[in-house]
Amino acid sequence: MYHFSDPLCAGHEYAGEVSEVECRGPLTKSGTRQPPIRAYMDDLTVTTTSVPGCRWILQGLERLITWARMDFKPVKSRSLVLRKGKVTDKFRFFLGGVRIPSVSDKPVKSLEEGHSAPAGWLGLPRSLSSIALYGRKTKVQLPFNSLSEEFKVTRAREVLSYRDSTDNKVAAAGIEVRTGRKWRAQEAVDQAEARLRHSVLVGTVAVGRAGLGNKPRPLYNQVQGKERLHLVQDEVRAEAEEAHTSQMVGMRQQGAWMRWEQALDRKITCPSNLFCWGLAETPACPLCQRRGSLEHILSCCPKALGEGRYRWRHDQAGEKGERCPSQGGSWQQQETGS
């Protein structure tokens, strides 16, 4: 079959119109009758409610393709007949005198590629949580996404594609995207849209240390099409990240960066906190032996007050002389005019 875009698409549209006259398509639960032929690029899918109807459509397609000076490849096609929910090989279908093999005779080959787990080729222990690999708020962010997160985003996009389709038959078909028992795509989309509508009511808020309005974000009620689709997908990702964060908080060792232990990196520790974390033997202040809270260390230690430790830097800045290196490498005192 030749791959010409415009003539092929026109032929698909004509084939769909002809097939609707010869046979009706399946009836969905919502009561909408779907077309018997669905086309994408150079692929055709024929779905009918009866075997004779499918044979009529195949005959009409064969006449149309012959008139267009093209041909099908029945060997690369597959047929599947379901009767009362079970697969049956009792019926045969032909195109140009060549039999179309059934799925039971020649199963569809899928391209399978083995991927080792990231924790394996990174040399990480098995006990390491996957949140440490795929989190977006962790201290070390790796350049790949979680498979479960991508699955959720893809299914959410599928729900929106069916619901907001420009084709009335697709939008009114009531297609249900099945994702299992633990997570449902429709509920996730409803939750994401509810969060976006709430953000519209809240308005623009400050993010981090940036000023108000430095990171503008489009409002959900002011966008349409792809922009609204992207907003919903980002909200699904944000909800998945919140679930990861809440799970990491409950992990004592691997989630230590979520708690006060990260204060060690910021150098704002005090003896009382170190004692609570099990990193010090006593909570006492090393100068006065009182309880060394953060307030005590910064401004309330009596010995530090008496020795002038708190004002030492200020006193050093007020001295008349300043030290500067001489040419010989030693230090000398120079008088200033002040």
Side-chain angles (χ1 to χ4, degrees):
M1 181 179 295
Y2 297 97
H3 299 275
F4 293 111
S5 301
D6 295 339
L8 193 58
C9 293
H12 284 174
E13 294 178 359
Y14 180 71
E17 296 177 358
V18 173
S19 62
E20 288 186 359
V21 177
E22 296 188 0
C23 180
R24 297 184 300 175
L27 184 66
T28 59
K29 293 182 179 179
S30 61
T32 304
R33 180 73 65 175
Q34 297 296 319
I37 289 183
R38 288 173 292 179
Y40 178 76
M41 299 298 290
D42 60 341
D43 296 328
L44 291 174
T45 301
V46 179
T47 307
T48 61
T49 57
S50 62
V51 174
C54 183
R55 289 173 176 168
W56 294 337
I57 291 180
L58 291 178
Q59 292 176 3
L61 289 175
E62 186 176 355
R63 291 193 300 268
L64 177 63
I65 293 300
T66 303
W67 169 81
R69 297 182 182 181
M70 295 187 294
D71 58 349
F72 287 113
K73 295 182 179 179
V75 179
K76 293 187 176 181
S77 305
R78 296 293 183 272
S79 64
L80 177 65
V81 180
L82 296 176
R83 188 173 185 179
K84 295 183 179 180
K86 296 182 179 180
V87 180
T88 176
D89 296 332
K90 183 178 179 180
F91 304 97
R92 300 289 184 268
F93 301 94
F94 297 88
L95 272 175
V98 181
R99 177 176 170 270
I100 300 176
S102 63
V103 176
S104 302
D105 297 338
K106 292 185 178 181
V108 179
K109 296 181 180 180
S110 60
L111 298 177
E112 298 180 357
E113 184 177 359
H115 297 277
S116 59
W121 53 265
L122 286 177
L124 302 175
R126 294 184 179 180
S127 59
L128 182 67
S129 173
S130 59
I131 304 174
L133 298 175
Y134 309 117
R136 290 294 172 265
K137 295 182 180 180
T138 55
K139 292 197 173 185
V140 179
Q141 299 181 10
L142 301 179
F144 45 79
N145 298 329
S146 170
L147 182 60
S148 60
E149 178 181 338
E150 293 301 322
F151 172 79
K152 292 179 180 180
V153 174
T154 303
R155 291 305 186 185
R157 182 171 62 248
E158 185 177 355
V159 171
L160 296 174
S161 300
Y162 290 144
R163 189 193 65 183
D164 302 335
S165 176
T166 56
D167 191 342
N168 295 330
K169 291 186 177 180
V170 176
I175 301 174
E176 179 183 357
V177 179
R178 299 180 180 179
T179 55
R181 297 181 293 105
K182 296 184 178 180
W183 183 83
R184 297 182 182 275
Q186 184 61 52
E187 295 178 0
V189 171
D190 295 340
Q191 179 68 16
E193 291 179 337
R195 289 163 57 111
L196 290 172
R197 287 192 293 268
H198 179 265
S199 65
V200 173
L201 298 177
V202 174
T204 305
V205 297
V207 180
R209 297 184 179 181
L212 185 64
N214 284 342
K215 294 184 178 180
R217 184 182 181 185
L219 298 179
Y220 181 70
N221 60 343
Q222 297 179 357
V223 296
Q224 296 292 337
K226 291 184 178 181
E227 293 186 3
R228 174 170 288 195
L229 176 64
H230 293 330
L231 285 179
V232 175
Q233 293 183 62
D234 294 341
E235 201 65 30
V236 172
R237 291 185 185 275
E239 189 174 355
E241 182 64 25
E242 291 178 2
H244 290 168
T245 304
S246 61
Q247 184 179 356
M248 183 61 73
V249 170
M251 305 179 69
R252 178 175 178 80
Q253 296 296 332
Q254 298 185 31
W257 59 275
M258 298 288 297
R259 299 187 292 274
W260 274 100
E261 281 81 349
Q262 62 179 340
L264 291 170
D265 299 334
R266 299 199 300 264
K267 306 298 182 183
I268 60 172
T269 58
C270 59
S272 61
N273 287 342
L274 292 175
F275 179 76
C276 292
W277 303 332
L279 302 177
E281 298 180 357
T282 174
C285 174
L287 296 179
C288 64
Q289 301 303 317
R290 295 184 181 181
R291 183 173 181 81
S293 63
L294 188 60
E295 181 181 2
H296 176 88
I297 296 297
L298 293 178
S299 61
C300 299
C301 180
K303 187 173 182 179
L305 284 171
E307 296 178 355
R309 292 173 179 259
Y310 292 125
R311 66 176 187 274
W312 179 85
R313 186 181 295 274
H314 177 271
D315 295 343
Q316 292 295 317
E319 290 184 356
K320 294 183 180 180
E322 62 179 4
R323 295 180 179 181
C324 65
S326 64
Q327 296 180 358
S330 61
W331 293 84
Q332 64 181 1
Q333 186 76 14
Q334 293 183 355
E335 294 292 335
T336 61
S338 58

